[in-house]
Amino acid sequence: MLTLDRDVVIVGAGPSGLTAARRLKKAGLSVAVLEARDRVGGRTWTDTIDGAMLEIGGQWVSPDQTALMELLDELGLEMYSRYREGESIYLGADGKLSRYTGASFPVSEETAAEMDRLTAIMDELAAEIGAEEPWAHAKSRELDTISFHHWLRQNSSNEEACNNIGLFIAGGMLTKPAHAFSALQAILMAASAGSFSNLTDEDFILDKRVVGGMQQVSLLQAAELGDDVVLDSPVRTINYTEDGNGGYKVVAESDRAVVNARFVIMAVPPNLYSRVSFNPPLPRRQHQMHQHQSLGLVIKVHAVYETPFWREKGLSGTCFGADAIVQEVYDNTNHEDPRGTLVGFVSDEKADAMFELSEEERKAAILDSIAVYLGEEAKNPSVFYLSDWGSEEWTRGAYAASYDLGGLSRYGKSQHDAVGPIYWSSSDLAAEGYQHVDGAVRMGQKTADRIIAANQELRQAESALSQA
């Protein structure tokens, strides 16, 4: 058992926790990062499966994600553009396939007009309410007590338009059915990316990838921190008491280490806070708030082929179908790889249905769904792998946490509140970059800055007392 004396103990070695640790260490504070898994990276994980490098978790970088891009540059990591040449495929509500180019689905004039109108309403609300404090807006309760499903239908009677608009946030982002979260939560999702229009533009939101994989953001930062990162070390208990000088004494106990510190950063998603016993217990409001936050469910599908056969057909590999098992498909071929890789997503209730099948039935159903878009060749990948974060012990869902109906307006204002020496930091709590690696980086930086400022105040107070 390791015994470590540090200024700050950080629970979780994902992008947020490691970014915070690195920033704190540069400011002269000592850190220990305790990670439950046998690897760093959290919900980013670049692994080799049957000879193919796959991005098991988060991977994309969009033009607005400046905090992440600055960190990539600092770490010496390069990006490359996602393949997007050629026509895309749209599977309509009538089961008809259409090839198209541009950002707009090839739907009827009436449906297109309704989608444009709903997008304009969402853009206006996202700009008005913003991502920083959506709970503080005058419309917050009104928008937070109606599901996104019902809000869409309150604003449009066109079912295909509602389903297509819902796809971008329900299946595409929050990975929950649109009836399970509020219109306000949907607006936060849109505002966090700059606008709803950005979320509907795959060329924006899925713009670039990191050469060699996104997990390098964590791997390289962890390498700088060296022995300050302790793996296979789930934190079981955090005890804290006042030190009599305005600060705290913290003892964090994990499976491999006991860390004596003055500050704590919980850099894990909110659904995992309850895995730690806090002494004294967290306040009532924190307990209640955490019970109203949950992760969604998505199967990330990886299919690798000897060649990117869809390109020979003049297709980009981009496919959409709100009613399909695999609602989204993209060309996810690795940098300078002669093979072709497709990535697809099966979300929320459709994922439930897939997990009721046997492994072989599940594989067949998913590949059949992709084949509807791209042809029979899609049924025969050389590598096939499903990312199932819902069964991962130290994640339990994807992509990030969102509130149930009414939760964001009720509890949002408290989600960043420190409890004594305990601070919260993850992409789940971000404004800009919410649910993305960029949001994790931003939260790590902000949380580190808060602790640096708090530490300076404590040192100044101690100095004043010693001179009195």
Side-chain angles (χ1 to χ4, degrees):
M1 180 70 72
L2 299 171
T3 301
L4 306 173
D5 296 319
R6 298 289 193 271
D7 293 313
V8 186
V9 58
I10 299 165
V11 181
S16 192
L18 292 170
T19 297
R22 187 166 174 259
R23 198 175 185 97
L24 288 164
K25 201 165 182 180
K26 285 184 177 181
L29 280 74
S30 58
V31 300
V33 184
L34 303 179
E35 169 57 51
R37 300 178 180 87
D38 62 359
R39 61 171 182 84
V40 301
R43 285 167 277 181
T44 63
W45 184 13
T46 308
D47 201 7
T48 299
I49 307 293
D50 295 334
M53 189 195 86
L54 304 179
E55 289 281 43
I56 309 300
Q59 63 175 75
W60 280 298
V61 186
S62 59
D64 62 321
Q65 295 178 352
T66 53
L68 173 57
M69 287 190 285
E70 288 171 3
L71 180 57
L72 291 173
D73 186 61
E74 190 177 333
L75 295 172
L77 294 172
E78 298 180 352
M79 297 183 292
Y80 67 103
S81 296
R82 178 178 62 84
Y83 184 86
R84 64 195 78 183
E85 297 176 20
E87 294 180 307
S88 300
I89 296 289
Y90 174 75
L91 180 62
D94 58 1
K96 180 182 176 182
L97 286 175
S98 301
R99 294 170 66 133
Y100 71 101
T101 57
S104 299
F105 290 166
V107 293
S108 69
E109 289 186 11
E110 177 188 351
T111 298
E114 283 299 282
M115 288 179 65
D116 288 344
R117 191 174 64 81
L118 289 169
T119 296
I121 295 171
M122 289 290 292
D123 279 346
E124 184 177 343
L125 285 169
E128 178 185 341
I129 293 173
E132 288 293 331
E133 294 183 310
W135 49 82
H137 195 275
K139 297 177 182 176
S140 65
R141 181 170 175 79
E142 170 193 344
L143 291 167
D144 203 30
T145 52
I146 182 172
S147 75
F148 189 46
H149 171 96
H150 289 95
W151 180 88
L152 285 169
R153 285 150 184 84
Q154 192 178 75
N155 283 278
S156 176
S157 60
N158 187 302
E159 191 66 13
E160 185 174 12
C162 289
N163 283 333
N164 284 341
I165 293 296
L167 165 67
F168 292 108
I169 286 181
M173 290 294 170
L174 299 181
T175 65
K176 294 178 177 179
H179 62 255
F181 59 88
S182 72
L184 184 66
Q185 188 77 56
I187 291 161
L188 166 60
M189 187 73 249
S192 72
S195 69
F196 182 71
S197 292
N198 285 345
L199 287 184
T200 67
D201 181 0
E202 75 273 7
D203 287 347
F204 180 90
I205 203 70
L206 310 180
D207 183 28
K208 296 184 185 298
R209 291 179 57 194
V210 177
V211 176
M214 183 66 81
Q215 192 186 1
Q216 291 177 100
V217 171
S218 296
L219 290 168
L220 292 174
Q221 292 192 97
E224 289 185 22
L225 293 165
D227 292 340
D228 289 332
V229 179
V230 184
L231 302 179
D232 295 308
S233 193
V235 173
R236 306 299 184 182
T237 305
I238 292 177
N239 303 295
Y240 60 102
T241 57
E242 295 184 12
D243 65 4
N245 295 314
Y248 292 87
K249 293 180 179 179
V250 174
V251 180
E253 300 177 0
S254 75
D255 286 4
R256 292 190 56 216
V258 175
V259 182
N260 301 302
R262 296 184 297 118
F263 299 95
V264 182
I265 296 177
M266 291 292 294
V268 296
N271 65 306
L272 296 183
Y273 296 162
S274 62
R275 300 297 299 276
V276 178
S277 295
F278 296 91
N279 182 32
L282 297 177
R284 177 193 311 109
R285 186 167 176 82
Q286 290 282 334
H287 282 158
Q288 287 290 302
M289 175 171 61
H290 301 159
Q291 293 179 65
H292 288 268
Q293 295 168 285
S294 62
L295 274 72
L297 177 65
V298 64
I299 302 171
K300 186 177 184 181
V301 181
H302 312 264
V304 182
Y305 303 86
E306 293 306 313
T307 62
F309 64 86
W310 52 93
R311 298 182 189 177
E312 299 168 4
K313 301 179 181 182
L315 297 173
S316 64
T318 300
C319 312
F320 293 102
D323 297 320
I325 291 172
V326 184
Q327 294 177 298
E328 303 172 77
V329 179
Y330 303 98
D331 186 318
N332 207 39
T333 303
N334 291 328
H335 183 58
E336 298 182 344
D337 190 343
R339 295 172 295 180
T341 300
L342 293 173
V343 63
F345 298 93
V346 184
S347 295
D348 54 74
E349 292 171 318
K350 292 182 173 68
D352 290 339
M354 289 299 99
F355 285 127
E356 291 178 0
L357 303 177
S358 69
E359 183 176 347
E360 285 304 310
E361 290 172 332
R362 183 162 54 248
K363 178 179 179 179
I366 288 172
L367 288 176
D368 284 349
S369 182
I370 297 174
V372 169
Y373 298 116
L374 297 174
E376 289 295 305
E377 301 98 317
K379 294 183 179 180
N380 299 297
S382 56
V383 179
F384 180 81
Y385 183 79
L386 302 180
S387 300
D388 174 20
W389 288 94
S391 65
E392 210 276 337
E393 176 70 5
W394 300 108
T395 305
R396 301 190 170 190
Y399 305 113
S402 54
Y403 286 94
D404 57 15
L405 286 179
L408 182 57
S409 60
R410 182 179 179 186
Y411 295 110
K413 67 180 181 180
S414 303
Q415 66 183 13
H416 297 290
D417 290 352
V419 176
I422 305 167
Y423 294 72
W424 319 94
S425 184
S426 68
S427 64
D428 314 76
L429 308 178
E432 291 179 84
Y434 169 55
Q435 293 214 350
H436 290 87
V437 179
D438 179 75
V441 171
R442 290 176 188 272
M443 283 302 302
Q445 293 170 342
K446 289 179 180 179
T447 307
D449 289 344
R450 291 176 67 190
I451 288 178
I452 291 166
N455 183 64
Q456 289 174 341
E457 290 180 9
L458 284 173
R459 292 306 187 204
Q460 290 170 358
E462 290 170 0
S463 176
L465 283 173
S466 67
Q467 295 173 10

